[in-house]
């Protein structure tokens, strides 16, 4: 799905977060959702779907390196992760099974709105752990767990490790299990104190390594919007999620996008109608991606730089770093290598599931 923002705050999945970390447009809730085919039709109708030349060879995926992974089977298990979750077990006192309809009533809209968590169950039918609160979830479970991601609970700019942030889950669950048809008791696999210690480690790692690779192409005045759109398409980028341009990742490893392109010029993204009518002529183009989420950050960075160079030849402008200082490629390469080395020394491999969960 592609989100067409009419005006206001852009909030789209895992991609547009880059925009928020560096530039937040004005806030409003007015937007509507369109399919990718509808979005393609929009730019076709505007005559913005065909690039004037093909420079997509610059984004050569053969230069990227991906680990060999075993694909998950259809019967893969999904359950709480003790490395990041505080897990509360719901145990039927008399050994009854949990029913999907009863689970849905216990973990209703009010719970989902105020107690962020994931509900897992051990399916009798499928003989595996799976999501117990999904729309197509099985009907019966022998075990049930509430998993609370402690990094999410405490990951504020200035973390407050108040035990009450976790205690509230137990208090609310105690109220809810009293209304359940069968008698249930609660048990948590580790103390709140240990869960908080785990959260402190995860939050510290998040703040240390939650870094983006950024290259800015800055115009002396303004880029012509039509020429800008054409240059980004010519280099092989696709307009899509969040009304940004992306180099999409089609492998089952790492983030959905290798890198994205946005702007600090209001509203921060690219509406094709505004580009076509001449109202969107940005002062800069910001190329970037999350380093820990990237499938292959070092090589993606090198190819992103080639894309920026290409756009500079087409549009002019100056190449700057994320601090808006003259870009130093060797310095950026060195810092990238050091960052990845530090991450790996702490057990974080870029693009791996652990990194995707943490960042």
């Amino acid at each position: 799905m592609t989100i067409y923002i009419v005006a206001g705050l852009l909030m789209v999945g895992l991609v547009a977060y880059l925009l928020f970390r560096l530039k937040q447009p004005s806030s409003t809730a007015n937007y509507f959702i369109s399919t990718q085919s509808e979005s393609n039709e929009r730019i076709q109708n505007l005559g913005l779907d065909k690039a004037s030349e093909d420079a997509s060879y610059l984004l050569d995926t053969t230069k990227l390196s991906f680990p060999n992974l075993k694909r998950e089977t259809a019967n893969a298990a999904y359950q709480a992760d003790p490395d990041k979750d505080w897990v509360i077990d719901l145990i039927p006192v008399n050994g009854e099974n949990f029913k999907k309809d009863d689970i849905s009533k216990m973990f209703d809209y009010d719970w989902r709105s105020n107690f962020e968590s994931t509900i897992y169950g051990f399916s009798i039918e499928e003989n595996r752990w799976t999501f117990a609160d999904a729309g197509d979830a099985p009907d019966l479970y022998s075990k049930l767990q509430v998993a609370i991601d402690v990094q999410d609970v405490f990951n504020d700019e200035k973390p407050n490790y108040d035990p009450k942030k976790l205690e509230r889950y137990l208090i609310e669950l105690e109220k809810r299990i009293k209304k359940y048809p069968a008698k249930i008791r609660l048990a948590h696999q580790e103390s709140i104190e240990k869960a908080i210690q785990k959260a402190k480690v995860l939050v510290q790692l998040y703040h240390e390594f939650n870094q983006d690779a950024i290259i800015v192409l800055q115009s002396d005045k303004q880029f012509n919007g039509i020429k800008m759109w054409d240059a980004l398409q010519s280099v092989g980028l696709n307009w899509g999620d969040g009304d940004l341009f992306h180099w999409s990742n089609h492998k089952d490893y790492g983030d959905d996008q290798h890198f994205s392109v946005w702007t600090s010029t209001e509203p921060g993204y690219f509406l094709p109608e505004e580009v076509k009518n001449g109202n969107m002529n940005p002062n800069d183009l910001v190329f970037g991606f999350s380093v820990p989420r990237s499938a292959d950050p070092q090589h993606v960075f090198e190819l992103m730089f080639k894309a920026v160079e290409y756009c500079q030849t087409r549009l002019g402008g100056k190449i700057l770093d994320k601090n808006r200082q003259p870009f130093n490629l060797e310095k950026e390469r060195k810092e990238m290598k050091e960052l990845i080395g530090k991450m790996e020394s702490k057990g974080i491999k870029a693009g791996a599931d652990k990194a995707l969960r943490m960042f």
Side-chain angles (χ1 to χ4, degrees), residues 17-18 21 211-215 255 257-260 262 287-302 304 336:
Y17 82 95
L18 285 168
R21 285 152 63 141
Q211 298 188 35
D212 298 326
I214 299 293
I215 306 176
D255 209 351
Q257 317 294 347
H258 288 309
F259 68 81
S260 302
W262 62 97
F287 295 67
F289 64 91
S290 163
V291 175
R293 294 182 62 84
S294 176
D296 183 5
Q298 287 179 286
H299 291 122
V300 167
F301 183 77
E302 294 292 336
M304 184 171 76
M336 174 76 73

Side-chain angles (χ1 to χ4, degrees), residues 13 62 100 113 120 130 160 178 191 202 212 232 288 291 332:
T62 65
K100 178 181 176 180
S113 300
Y120 296 99
T130 188
N160 174 16
K178 290 178 182 178
S191 67
L202 292 172
D212 298 326
L232 292 174
V291 175
E332 297 289 334

Side-chain angles (χ1 to χ4, degrees), residues 105-124:
K105 292 174 183 177
M106 182 157 57
F107 299 106
D108 55 13
Y109 177 79
D110 180 67
W111 172 272
R112 296 193 303 272
S113 300
N114 298 295
F115 297 87
E116 187 173 349
S117 59
T118 304
I119 314 302
Y120 296 99
F122 190 86
S123 168
I124 297 173

Side-chain angles (χ1 to χ4, degrees), residues 102-253:
D102 294 331
I103 293 171
S104 298
K105 292 174 183 177
M106 182 157 57
F107 299 106
D108 55 13
Y109 177 79
D110 180 67
W111 172 272
R112 296 193 303 272
S113 300
N114 298 295
F115 297 87
E116 187 173 349
S117 59
T118 304
I119 314 302
Y120 296 99
F122 190 86
S123 168
I124 297 173
E125 176 186 354
E126 298 178 354
N127 193 36
R128 67 183 179 108
W129 283 96
T130 188
F131 300 105
D133 54 350
D136 58 350
D139 291 326
L140 290 176
Y141 303 88
S142 60
K143 303 174 185 177
L144 207 63
Q145 292 182 333
V146 177
I148 298 107
D149 188 324
V150 294
Q151 179 182 326
D152 284 348
V153 171
F154 295 104
N155 201 15
D156 301 320
E157 187 173 343
K158 295 182 179 180
N160 174 16
Y161 295 100
D162 186 345
K164 292 180 180 178
K165 290 187 175 183
L166 294 180
E167 290 171 357
R168 60 189 289 269
Y169 283 86
L170 290 175
I171 294 170
E172 182 65 20
L173 281 172
E174 289 286 0
K175 293 178 184 177
R176 289 172 179 261
I177 63 175
K178 290 178 182 178
K179 300 177 183 179
Y180 195 80
K183 191 173 182 180
I184 300 172
R185 68 180 179 87
L186 303 179
H188 39 92
Q189 300 179 7
E190 62 184 349
S191 67
I192 288 177
E193 291 73 20
K194 286 186 177 180
I196 290 176
Q197 289 303 314
K198 179 166 59 181
K200 288 180 178 179
V201 173
L202 292 172
V203 170
Q204 190 276 327
L205 290 173
Y206 176 84
H207 287 295
E208 182 177 359
F209 297 122
N210 187 34
Q211 298 188 35
D212 298 326
I214 299 293
I215 306 176
V216 179
L217 184 60
Q218 177 75 50
S219 173
D220 294 330
K221 296 180 180 179
Q222 287 182 317
F223 293 123
N224 177 283
I226 295 288
K227 291 181 178 179
M228 171 273 301
W229 186 283
D230 182 61
L232 292 174
Q233 280 199 326
S234 293
V235 81
L237 302 178
N238 294 310
W239 177 78
D241 287 345
D243 294 321
L244 308 181
F245 280 87
H246 308 283
W247 182 24
S248 298
N249 177 11
H250 299 293
K251 297 288 186 178
D252 293 329
Y253 186 83

Side-chain angles (χ1 to χ4, degrees), residues 5-11 25-31 269:
I5 308 290
V6 175
L9 180 62
L10 175 63
M11 298 192 70
S26 56
S27 176
T28 163
N30 297 323
Y31 63 88
Y269 44 87

